[in-house]
DNA sequence: AGAAACATGTAAGGTGTTACATGATTCG
DNA sequence: CGAATCATGTAACACCTTACATGTTTCT
């Protein structure tokens, strides 16, 4: 139940409505834990029922400003300190690579070329982000930078790997 | 619907029962697209109904040996050549990192240390795998090596990143 | 006044996990 | 003969996606 903890984490920083949280998800958490609007409102109601958050204020248009409760704050910290369990990873991209040999070499190369390009684009976008975001000293900024660095390293790795894989395929096609 | 295509890919190589496929998933695809037994049998029945695979032979204990059909083979190739769409990535580990600043520095460091260790262990395990697996010339072996290389690079990246993040946290704790 | 933004929700359907349930065959 | 392995399935529940549904407030 990571969505639950993501919401608690954002509310620990400051109170917010579902609408506010949605925007935070779309910006800061989009590359880490994407969530849809419908999922988010549902989870907020469940969190409220469970007493981990509460409606601190109501505003216009039915706006409900949520605040984390003492209990919610404890649950968040408990989760953060929880022993790290490696979660199963699913990658459709890698799955495709597994069977890429079934395609003619030219088509397989085209697929990997697209992946290389996509990774290079992601890397460029993250580099722009790194220089444009106004990084503060708040918890989210400090750790956001750590996460961004991860994204940079991963994109570079993916780009380099795709290039390497293409070379391997080219070698086989010649040999 | 990647599970579907994973099954088609394995059956393209050779016929197999659900039980055989389950073992293949647990070994070769465990790090790419894990699946449970219950999921697998369900999907096999759906694929059979859809005419993408068929029961080629029946054995003892109700064993059903599945073979890919012409239609299934076409669907597999269509999927492989399909334009690459980057899929949303969810990482509980990175999500945790986002809020790691809420923990006392020592605890945050402990979490990252565990991640660094886990990545180093994964890397070591994959290196062993690389030298012990009997690599053939079949489609799965050739591409399995590409995927394995990805795993090696990713594990190394994760280990190095965790180490780097720990240093960053240590700097902040001092400064 | 109309458009954009704010604001929250429900319903249907797909995918995945865990647990339960059952039985046949082979090997020592 | 008993244990391990082979072999397939169902049921309940959690999570996620897409689409639908509705109404208010602010800004130009």
């Amino acid at each position: 139940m990571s969505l639950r903890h993501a919401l608690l984490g954002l509310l620990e920083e400051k109170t917010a409505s579902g609408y506010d949280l949605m925007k935070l998800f779309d910006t800061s958490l989009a590359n880490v834990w994407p969530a849809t609007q419908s999922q988010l409102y549902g989870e907020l109601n469940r969190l409220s029922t469970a007493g981990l958050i509460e409606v601190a204020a109501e505003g216009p248009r039915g706006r409900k400003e949520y605040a984390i409760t003492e209990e919610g704050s404890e649950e968040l910290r408990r989760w953060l300190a929880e022993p790290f369990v490696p979660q199963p990873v699913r990658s459709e991209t890698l799955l495709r690579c597994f069977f890429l040999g079934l395609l003619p070499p030219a088509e397989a190369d085209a697929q990997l070329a697209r992946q290389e390009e996509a990774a290079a684009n992601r890397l460029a976008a993250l580099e722009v982000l790194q220089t444009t975001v106004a990084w503060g000293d708040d918890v989210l900024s400090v750790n956001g930078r750590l996460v961004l660095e991860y994204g940079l390293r991963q994109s570079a790795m993916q780009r380099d790997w795709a290039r390497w894989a293409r070379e391997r395929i080219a070698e086989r096609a010649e040999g």
Side-chain angles (χ1 to χ4, degrees), chain A:
Chain A
M1 290 194 299
S2 295
L3 175 61
R4 157 164 299 207
H5 296 107
L7 288 170
L8 290 175
L10 292 175
L11 286 173
E12 178 77 25
E13 183 86 352
K14 61 169 187 284
T15 63
S17 67
Y19 192 84
D20 296 335
L21 290 164
M22 206 176 62
K23 281 190 290 183
L24 284 172
F25 263 84
D26 284 344
T27 53
S28 51
L29 287 181
N31 297 303
V32 171
W33 202 271
T36 60
Q37 174 254 41
S38 129
Q39 217 187 330
L40 206 143
Y41 282 109
E43 190 61 39
L44 282 173
N45 283 323
R46 278 188 291 273
L47 278 165
S48 187
T49 302
L52 302 180
I53 64 176
E54 62 189 2
V55 178
E58 303 207 11
R61 279 161 300 199
R63 176 186 173 94
K64 291 191 250 176
E65 187 106 12
Y66 288 103
I68 194 169
T69 62
E70 188 62 36
E71 208 182 332
S73 198
E74 278 165 26
E75 168 58 21
L76 174 61
R77 271 151 234 275
R78 191 199 58 68
W79 174 73
L80 281 172
E82 211 172 57
F84 167 80
V85 239
Q87 63 251 275
V89 190
R90 284 193 172 80
S91 166
E92 194 185 328
T93 303
L94 279 184
L95 183 60
R96 263 212 185 78
C97 289
F98 218 94
F99 301 115
L100 218 51
L102 295 172
L103 289 181
E107 279 188 58
D109 180 73
Q111 279 293 36
L112 286 168
R114 260 174 267 169
Q115 285 174 30
E116 182 184 336
E117 198 193 346
N121 289 342
R122 261 195 315 278
L123 179 60
L126 291 177
E127 277 168 348
V128 169
L129 196 67
Q130 193 177 30
T131 57
T132 51
V133 168
W135 297 106
D137 270 339
D138 53 308
V139 174
L140 260 51
S141 281
V142 171
N143 292 83
R145 264 173 293 195
L146 296 188
V147 173
L148 178 58
E149 173 71 19
Y150 186 97
L152 290 167
R153 290 179 185 225
Q154 179 156 64
S155 301
M157 184 278 284
Q158 288 171 341
R159 181 201 52 189
D160 296 344
W161 172 82
R163 192 176 294 163
W164 173 88
R166 291 177 69 191
E167 283 163 16
R168 279 328 213 56
I169 285 180
E171 279 170 26
R172 279 190 66 80
E174 289 164 20

